[in-house]
Amino acid sequence: MKRKSSPESGVFNPRVFAAFLLCSGGVLLGVFSIGAPTGPNAPAKRMTSQFKPVTISARAHGVSPKVRDLPVRRGSRQGPFYEAEPVRPIHAPHKPPQLPVYDPVQQTVARNAAVVVTAAPSLLQTFEGMNQADGCGGCIPPDPNGAVGPNHYVEMVNSSYAVYDKTGTKLAGPIHINDLFAPLTGSRCAADNDGDPIVVYDHLADRWVLTEFAVNAGNGPYAQCIAVSTTSDPTGSFYVYDFDQPAFNDYPKFGVWPDAYYMTSNEFGGTGGTFSGAGVFAFERDQMLVGQMARMVFFDEGLVNSSFGGMLPSYLDGPPPPAGSPNYFAEVDSQINTPSLGGDAMRIWKFHVDWTNTANSTFGMAGQPDFTLPVAMWTPAQCVESQGTCVQQLGSPYQLDVIGDRLMFRLVYRNFGDHESLLVNHSVVADARIGVRWYEVRSPGSSPMIYQQSTFAPVDSLSRWMGSAAMDRAGNIVVGYSTSSAASFPSIAYAGRLATDPLNDLTQGEAQMFAGLGSENVAFYLPPVGRWGDYTALTLDPSDGCTFWYVNEYFGSMAETDPGAPWQTRIGSFKFPSCTASAPTPLSVVSRKVHGNGASTHTADLDLLPPSSNIEMRRNTAFAVVPSPNAGKDHEIVITFPGAVRVGNVTVTSNNAADTPAPSATFDVNGAVVTIDLHNIKNSRRLTIHLGSVSDFNSAADIDIPMGVLLGDTNRDGNVDGTDVSQTKSQSGNSAANGSAFQEDVNLDGFVDGTDVSLVKNQSGGHLP
């Protein structure tokens, strides 16, 4: 959020007016003067004359105070409204289209009549998010976005942060975003609160990532400010980082990936601060998750082609991608805006980052896209630049802007196992109104194809724009967006489709999440245009992989004393009833023991079977005759899943509640393998090992594993008797190394001998309760 000086605030902007007087042909060329100005401290755009990775370490890093301990801070309105973030066009303005416009993939009806209708996802709830007083006070627009985690919803606007539980109760905030960076003394991130905020939930690590830029009122130097939560609690403390930026880093957008946090920005620099190309970035995720000094790797796409811009990095939802997969960057270009690039197409780049040797990192094919996929013709909906494709609203002389020269947040990636998908949307002109164009791309890493595409613009009075798309664990798609018309206030709606529906339509129809209560009667530019957006966020609940959470803006009642403001935000959740969560199912569960004398490791099955067969018959490792790597652990349980998982917690309970000290567990997760060490376990006990919130990154559930502990029960029938003594005697003289006698090696020394026979005899009469 770049705050303007007083003469440039409010409805009348003399700089834009002056630029307007210089326009010709009705095209508002003056909007280019709003780009980031160069200043005495602004770094040069070109950090190198060659296209190659540039590695930059964070200028500063530290740990923030706990968010819940920071004072609530709200914006203050002083003077007229000001524009939070000027529209910085990334392509040359074009002439207004001759309406109506033909869109070859326009969906003209809200619901496909051939589909057995289950209707749009069921609205579960909505609640109020932050409003203008909570945020910047006098700025427009709010740039609303948010993310959902297992227990929280986190929202950011220009330029504040707040945390809610899933019922809408505010748990922390609003705080000013830059308050998190206060420990970075002298940092631009501590001094500036400039906005363009993004919040993401890293479900692989159960952490939260917040970011905004710091640009010194557009004069530079420039920074990207990134905060990563120290725990899963977004009301707690954050590891905070200040990263230098090579140019004015406008419109930064983030994506979560296993090997890095990825970012795109539209770079402005040079004379007059004009657009000079896309910047693409990878931030060192592993280091940032533990608060260590971190690096970023940057590529300057302007050195390759300054027409590239408005791209997004992919953002992981659900299970991880195949090991070693690059992050995918995409943009969609129109020959109207970028004739030098050819026909209408989606371009996809692969970003490989190498943290061992960052010089080996690559972006695309020497900066050129790895793939260029033709898409259906589309007409950019660029209100401010073209003055003709704006959105009408009830009761206002002003129309609303549409940022139609770029993709809308997010570029969603999902790995379904048998295929990979990317999902994204942007705003286009459809007939005489604005519609939401969306695409699903499959096989992005090998032979990508546009699997389906469509423009949602049913024939009615509404324009639909400022969309955000997501896909649930079943492959169902939803797009959330703003709606408005000359007969209606700006409102919030969404539409969706089931994975089994015919392709290329949001077949399940449209639902309204929240009806706006007024219009935005504050305008900038000439002719006056109201600012809206610049983006929204639709995210998936990691607890079930089914519930969509959406945040967007609306305006209050026209009856308010100040009819132009304040803006407000609304958060809502909804899901398709047919989408259901399921717990990951283990492939195997075993009790693992290391036997002495080179006999190696042997496991006893503890699969989810009746408890009587889930028995560990060998001695507690803590008391093993021969020291082993497991010394100090009573029992080591190893659970293997089909794919990578995350575990929230592990507890163990005994059938004897009087056990002192109480049984306990520690655990480690390594991809698909969960290792649990049990402590303070006594003999002749039935145990329940409880794994809480086991997630395969599609959904989460609890898993209970029954286990019996009965030393000497070599036949695992729940009793120690003559049968076990005879069985042990029959193996006497054998080594446990061959795996056939490991259960009779009850003392773990690697051999079955008289010592084991005596131990079993001594335990005779023992049984599981």
Side-chain angles (χ1 to χ4, degrees):
M1 178 186 71
K2 187 183 102 177
R3 291 181 178 268
K4 292 187 171 185
S5 60
S6 179
E8 295 183 4
S9 302
V11 175
F12 180 70
N13 187 324
R15 183 169 66 179
V16 177
F17 178 69
F20 177 75
L21 295 178
L22 299 176
C23 290
S24 60
V27 178
L28 187 58
L29 297 176
V31 295
F32 281 103
S33 69
I34 304 172
T38 55
N41 298 317
K45 169 67 177 90
R46 302 295 185 224
M47 299 187 70
T48 174
S49 60
Q50 298 178 344
F51 182 81
K52 63 181 183 180
V54 177
T55 305
I56 302 173
S57 294
R59 172 183 288 272
H61 72 288
V63 182
S64 80
K66 290 182 173 66
V67 171
R68 56 182 172 269
D69 295 337
L70 290 170
V72 170
R73 290 185 38 172
R74 291 183 167 85
S76 60
R77 180 181 168 193
Q78 298 176 349
F81 297 106
Y82 60 92
E83 188 178 9
E85 181 53 35
V87 175
R88 295 183 175 85
I90 60 174
H91 300 302
H94 59 266
K95 294 181 180 179
Q98 298 296 311
L99 300 177
V101 167
Y102 170 69
D103 186 317
V105 294
Q106 180 180 356
Q107 180 180 340
T108 57
V109 294
R111 179 177 286 125
N112 189 326
V115 172
V116 177
V117 176
T118 60
S122 306
L123 183 62
L124 302 177
Q125 64 173 331
T126 69
F127 55 84
E128 281 295 287
M130 285 184 283
N131 57 37
Q132 192 158 331
D134 294 329
C136 52
C139 75
I140 297 174
D143 293 353
N145 71 102
V148 62
N151 303 301
H152 302 88
Y153 189 87
V154 171
E155 183 187 21
M156 294 179 79
V157 298
N158 285 328
S159 278
S160 295
Y161 168 77
V163 181
Y164 306 84
D165 68 16
K166 286 185 172 180
T167 68
T169 300
K170 190 177 290 183
L171 303 177
I175 65 164
H176 287 178
I177 299 169
N178 66 324
D179 285 348
L180 288 172
F181 297 85
L184 304 185
T185 305
S187 164
R188 291 151 297 177
C189 294
D192 296 342
N193 200 30
D194 289 334
D196 263 20
I198 292 290
V199 53
V200 303
Y201 173 66
D202 180 348
H203 66 289
L204 298 181
D206 196 15
R207 301 292 187 85
W208 300 85
V209 184
L210 319 175
T211 183
E212 70 170 352
F213 61 19
V215 295
N216 189 25
N219 296 310
Y222 312 112
Q224 193 67 39
C225 313
I226 305 175
V228 179
S229 64
T230 60
T231 69
S232 61
D233 183 359
T235 73
S237 59
F238 283 74
Y239 299 124
V240 290
Y241 293 85
D242 177 333
F243 284 97
D244 284 331
Q245 293 293 289
F248 192 113
N249 46 310
D250 192 40
Y251 207 76
K253 295 293 172 286
F254 264 63
V256 174
W257 207 250
D259 62 355
Y261 297 125
Y262 288 90
M263 185 182 89
T264 57
S265 68
N266 299 320
E267 306 282 284
F268 289 83
T271 304
T274 54
F275 176 63
S276 55
V280 298
F281 306 79
F283 296 92
E284 199 168 7
R285 173 178 176 269
D286 286 351
Q287 292 290 95
M288 299 171 78
L289 286 172
V290 294
Q292 298 299 308
M293 173 57 73
R295 298 166 291 172
M296 76 175 190
V297 173
F298 162 72
F299 284 95
D300 182 358
E301 275 290 275
L303 293 168
V304 178
N305 192 325
S306 60
S307 291
F308 294 148
M311 62 175 66
L312 293 176
S314 51
Y315 185 130
L316 174 66
D317 277 356
S325 295
N327 190 265
Y328 304 105
F329 282 56
E331 71 180 51
V332 178
D333 301 302
S334 164
Q335 61 181 342
I336 295 174
N337 267 354
T338 53
S340 63
L341 295 179
D344 301 68
M346 177 183 292
R347 291 174 169 82
I348 298 175
W349 289 260
K350 297 179 181 180
F351 196 151
H352 287 274
V353 65
D354 185 338
W355 294 115
T356 302
N357 183 356
T358 56
N360 291 336
S361 302
T362 59
F363 184 74
M365 302 176 67
Q368 295 291 344
D370 292 276
F371 307 104
T372 299
L373 310 178
V375 301
M377 177 188 70
W378 60 282
T379 300
Q382 295 174 232
C383 168
V384 171
E385 292 133 277
S386 64
Q387 293 297 313
T389 53
C390 305
V391 172
Q392 294 180 304
Q393 54 177 339
L394 173 64
S396 175
Y398 309 124
Q399 297 186 46
L400 301 173
D401 75 323
V402 179
I403 302 180
D405 61 351
R406 64 200 70 187
L407 291 174
M408 290 283 102
F409 187 64
R410 301 175 298 147
L411 173 61
V412 174
Y413 167 94
R414 188 173 278 276
N415 180 8
F416 289 94
D418 61 348
H419 71 276
E420 302 168 77
S421 286
L422 294 173
L423 181 68
V424 75
N425 85 100
H426 59 116
S427 301
V428 304
V429 181
D431 52 57
R433 301 164 299 122
I434 311 302
V436 176
R437 170 73 68 86
W438 59 274
Y439 310 87
E440 181 187 356
V441 177
R442 292 201 172 179
S443 305
S446 54
S447 52
M449 58 173 290
I450 303 292
Y451 181 70
Q452 53 180 332
Q453 61 182 314
S454 182
T455 299
F456 190 70
V459 177
D460 52 25
S461 62
L462 293 174
S463 279
R464 298 164 174 86
W465 83 109
M466 205 61 67
S468 185
M471 183 181 296
D472 68 20
R473 67 189 307 268
N476 308 318
I477 291 173
V478 169
V479 183
Y481 44 83
S482 295
T483 67
S484 189
S485 73
S488 63
F489 297 130
S491 299
I492 306 170
Y494 58 93
R497 57 169 282 109
L498 297 177
T500 54
D501 286 345
L503 297 179
N504 301 313
D505 277 348
L506 299 179
T507 40
Q508 297 297 324
E510 182 175 55
Q512 188 173 79
M513 191 183 97
F514 193 77
L517 303 173
S519 58
E520 179 186 310
N521 278 313
V522 178
F524 306 91
Y525 306 99
L526 290 174
V529 172
R531 290 284 284 110
W532 197 262
D534 295 338
Y535 44 91
T536 63
L538 181 67
T539 56
L540 256 294
D541 196 321
S543 299
D544 62 6
C546 294
T547 304
F548 298 87
W549 289 75
Y550 188 49
V551 60
N552 202 336
E553 67 181 284
Y554 72 97
F555 273 73
S557 170
M558 293 285 291
E560 293 179 358
T561 55
D562 192 344
W567 49 255
Q568 296 172 251
T569 64
R570 194 80 180 180
I571 299 161
S573 63
F574 37 86
K575 69 184 291 288
F576 285 107
S578 60
C579 183
T580 57
S582 62
T585 302
L587 292 176
S588 67
V589 184
V590 299
S591 175
R592 182 166 65 188
K593 298 284 188 183
V594 178
H595 295 249
N597 197 37
S600 190
T601 301
H602 297 287
T603 60
D605 290 339
L606 297 176
D607 287 324
L608 306 181
L609 299 171
S612 60
S613 61
N614 287 346
I615 296 174
E616 175 55 82
M617 75 298 294
R618 297 165 292 183
R619 186 187 289 275
N620 287 0
T621 310
F623 302 102
V625 174
V626 179
S628 78
N630 292 35
K633 309 168 186 177
D634 287 2
H635 301 283
E636 184 176 67
I637 312 304
V638 181
I639 309 167
T640 303
F641 290 88
V645 295
R646 188 183 68 234
V647 178
N649 60 82
V650 175
T651 58
V652 56
T653 56
S654 166
N655 65 291
N656 189 336
D659 283 347
T660 302
S664 62
T666 56
F667 70 100
D668 176 71
V669 180
N670 185 7
V673 178
V674 180
T675 303
I676 302 170
D677 296 324
L678 303 184
H679 310 279
N680 306 321
I681 304 300
K682 294 178 173 55
N683 192 32
S684 300
R685 296 292 190 271
R686 291 193 187 276
L687 309 175
T688 299
I689 305 167
H690 177 81
L691 284 70
S693 299
V694 182
S695 170
D696 61 357
F697 308 107
N698 259 326
S699 60
D702 297 343
I703 296 176
D704 286 332
I705 299 171
M707 177 182 176
V709 178
L710 186 59
L711 180 62
D713 182 17
T714 58
N715 67 353
R716 307 178 77 190
D717 67 354
N719 299 285
V720 183
D721 51 26
T723 303
D724 301 292
V725 175
S726 298
Q727 181 172 312
T728 307
K729 283 182 178 180
S730 70
Q731 292 286 349
S732 186
N734 291 330
S735 168
N738 61 17
S740 63
F742 76 89
Q743 66 269 30
E744 290 82 20
D745 178 27
V746 292
N747 69 351
L748 302 177
D749 67 354
F751 297 98
V752 182
D753 53 23
T755 304
D756 298 293
V757 174
S758 295
L759 195 157
V760 176
K761 284 183 177 180
N762 290 337
Q763 296 295 320
S764 187
H767 66 278
L768 286 178

